[in-house]
């Protein structure tokens, strides 16, 4: 049974070490099992997207659709937006 005594607590936290580790992850490695199922026109929602490295891979797969990344940390969302900008992935629109 799941322990719900600490609701709202993200166990890994957002330390510089954790975020740095998450920035090295890619959709091609960590979500390789999922990529063949994402169509160009799909709409993808990545909840807990962190710095957006996996989310960017989803956006490349759903290039004619939409990909939205959500996270509770404004700091990592800033990193995700910066990565999207560097990768020519739009950070605004209908979602």
């Amino acid at each position: 049974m799941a322990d719900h005594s600490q609701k709202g607590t993200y166990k890994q936290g957002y330390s510089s070490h954790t975020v740095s580790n998450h920035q090295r992850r890619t959709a091609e490695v960590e979500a390789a099992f999922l990529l063949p199922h994402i169509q160009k026109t799909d709409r993808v929602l990545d909840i807990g997207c962190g710095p957006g490295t996996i989310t960017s891979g989803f956006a490349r797969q759903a290039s004619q659709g939409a990909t939205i990344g959500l996270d509770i940390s404004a700091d990592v969302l800033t990193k995700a937006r910066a990565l999207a900008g560097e990768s020519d992935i739009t950070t605004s629109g209908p979602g």
Side-chain angles (χ1 to χ4, degrees):
M1 183 185 295
D3 177 13
H4 299 289
S5 61
Q6 294 183 343
K7 292 181 180 176
T9 301
Y10 178 55
K11 301 272 189 233
Q12 290 182 303
Y14 289 95
S15 71
S16 60
H17 174 75
T18 298
V19 174
S20 175
N21 182 46
H22 288 178
Q23 285 179 299
R24 290 190 294 270
R25 300 187 312 178
T26 66
E28 292 76 18
V29 173
E30 276 70 27
F33 66 95
L34 183 59
L35 295 181
H37 303 284
I38 299 176
Q39 304 298 311
K40 288 190 180 297
T41 57
D42 280 352
R43 298 170 68 89
V44 179
L45 176 61
D46 186 358
I47 299 174
C49 69
T53 54
I54 294 173
T55 314
S56 294
F58 293 159
R60 285 189 293 276
Q61 287 291 115
S63 59
Q64 297 170 15
T67 301
I68 298 171
L70 300 176
D71 203 283
I72 62 172
S73 169
D75 290 338
V76 297
L77 284 175
T78 298
K79 292 178 188 310
R81 285 186 194 99
L83 176 64
E86 293 166 11
S87 303
D88 291 326
I89 298 169
T90 186
T91 58
S92 63

